Amino acid sequence: MTVDEAWLKAFPLRPVADAVDALCESWQMLAAVHRPGFNHAKREPELTRALKAHVEQVTGRARGLPGMWATECVHNDIDLETASLSNERRTDIVYGWNNETLGVQLVLEFKKIDRSARSRNAYLGNDGLQRFVTGRYSQGQAVAAMVGILVEARDQVVPLLQQTLTEPERIRTLRVRRLGNGKHFELPSRLFAAAEFDTEHDRDAELALSRNAIRIAHIFLEFSYPIALSAKRARRARPRRVPT
């Protein structure tokens, strides 16, 4: 058994995987039709707040999930002498679970993504995946999740993202590990059935567990209605300006 297989077997994946499944079920229910409070034109924080409320009050409750959900949690570093705060950061959604011997906080960072280089840079950059590598997101945690909110077809977005992720400069800046399969990502995901693929990243000792790494599941969520048609319909529905 390899080191990777050993820690994956020891990690409490089942409770966390159940939570991820519930979250994805909530997404499917909310994204089935264009809703005033939940649609492709909404900003990421609006979508994640609605999604957290739904999984907490509907799908998570129906499944009898233990643990807790939180959204837009504020994290700061504190100077112990002055009590001054710095390095403020907010996590999109966090699922927390613990038993008598172990506690897990799964941070899920959401980013809208299409085929453009700009959106791939946002997904992989300092406000996206990089936060789990050199930033303090998921400090002391073994796993986390990046969630891409697809606003274009999956087959036009995900392969381009994988290609960008494995460019030499990205491998260097994101400290991407080569996995047991000899590649820099593992497909399908070893973490969650709902995820497309996993990556592993070296991490400084003060941010990581004993493996000095974090494993990231990459999940991609879609809107079930035709986005282009919905956008046209929304434009037609806007009230016309009356000349003054």
Side-chain angles (χ1 to χ4, degrees), residues 93-114:
I93 293 181
V94 180
Y95 174 71
W97 172 90
N98 68 279
N99 60 17
E100 294 81 3
T101 59
L102 185 64
V104 175
Q105 287 191 340
L106 179 72
V107 174
L108 301 103
E109 173 69 14
F110 288 70
K111 282 284 180 283
K112 280 187 172 181
I113 186 167
D114 55 30

Side-chain angles (χ1 to χ4, degrees), residues 5-17 97 102-106 141-144 191-192 209:
E5 289 170 341
W7 86 261
L8 280 170
K9 284 184 178 296
F11 186 79
L13 285 178
R14 186 71 266 158
V16 183
W97 172 90
L102 185 64
V104 175
Q105 287 191 340
L106 179 72
Q141 299 295 315
V143 304
L191 292 177
F192 309 125
L209 292 178

Side-chain angles (χ1 to χ4, degrees), residues 194-205:
E196 192 91 7
F197 61 92
D198 295 340
T199 54
E200 274 200 14
H201 307 262
D202 288 323
R203 215 171 188 204
D204 292 343

Side-chain angles (χ1 to χ4, degrees), residues 7-177:
W7 86 261
L8 280 170
K9 284 184 178 296
F11 186 79
L13 285 178
R14 186 71 266 158
V16 183
D18 288 343
V20 171
D21 287 345
L23 186 90
C24 292
E25 182 184 354
S26 281
W27 178 276
Q28 291 164 5
M29 294 171 71
L30 289 169
V33 297
H34 186 287
R35 303 177 192 275
F38 197 93
N39 59 71
H40 69 281
K42 290 289 185 180
R43 297 168 54 250
E44 290 150 15
E46 296 174 293
L47 294 170
T48 55
R49 285 197 296 268
L51 182 60
K52 178 261 183 184
H54 193 280
V55 69
E56 186 176 49
Q57 298 172 27
V58 182
T59 58
R61 186 171 297 173
R63 289 167 175 252
L65 284 179
M68 54 80 68
W69 296 92
T71 188
E72 292 193 353
C73 296
V74 178
H75 304 269
N76 294 98
D77 294 337
I78 185 169
D79 185 300
L80 298 181
E81 292 295 327
T82 66
S84 299
L85 300 177
S86 61
N87 296 327
E88 183 166 298
R89 54 212 179 272
R90 295 172 183 265
T91 50
D92 287 339
I93 293 181
V94 180
Y95 174 71
W97 172 90
N98 68 279
N99 60 17
E100 294 81 3
T101 59
L102 185 64
V104 175
Q105 287 191 340
L106 179 72
V107 174
L108 301 103
E109 173 69 14
F110 288 70
K111 282 284 180 283
K112 280 187 172 181
I113 186 167
D114 55 30
R115 76 184 86 178
S116 70
R118 178 186 56 81
S119 75
R120 293 198 301 277
N121 289 337
Y123 183 99
L124 299 172
N126 290 332
D127 292 331
L129 182 58
Q130 191 79 48
R131 288 175 165 177
F132 294 108
V133 182
T134 56
R136 293 188 176 274
Y137 270 27
S138 294
Q139 184 172 1
Q141 299 295 315
V143 304
M146 283 294 302
V147 185
I149 300 172
L150 295 168
V151 291
E152 288 188 306
R154 180 183 295 259
D155 61 0
Q156 296 177 349
V157 176
V158 177
L160 278 174
L161 179 67
Q162 291 171 331
Q163 180 180 326
T164 304
L165 180 60
T166 55
E167 292 173 352
E169 183 61 18
R170 295 286 184 179
I171 290 172
R172 186 186 66 80
T173 58
L174 290 170
R175 303 170 70 176
V176 187
R177 285 187 171 188

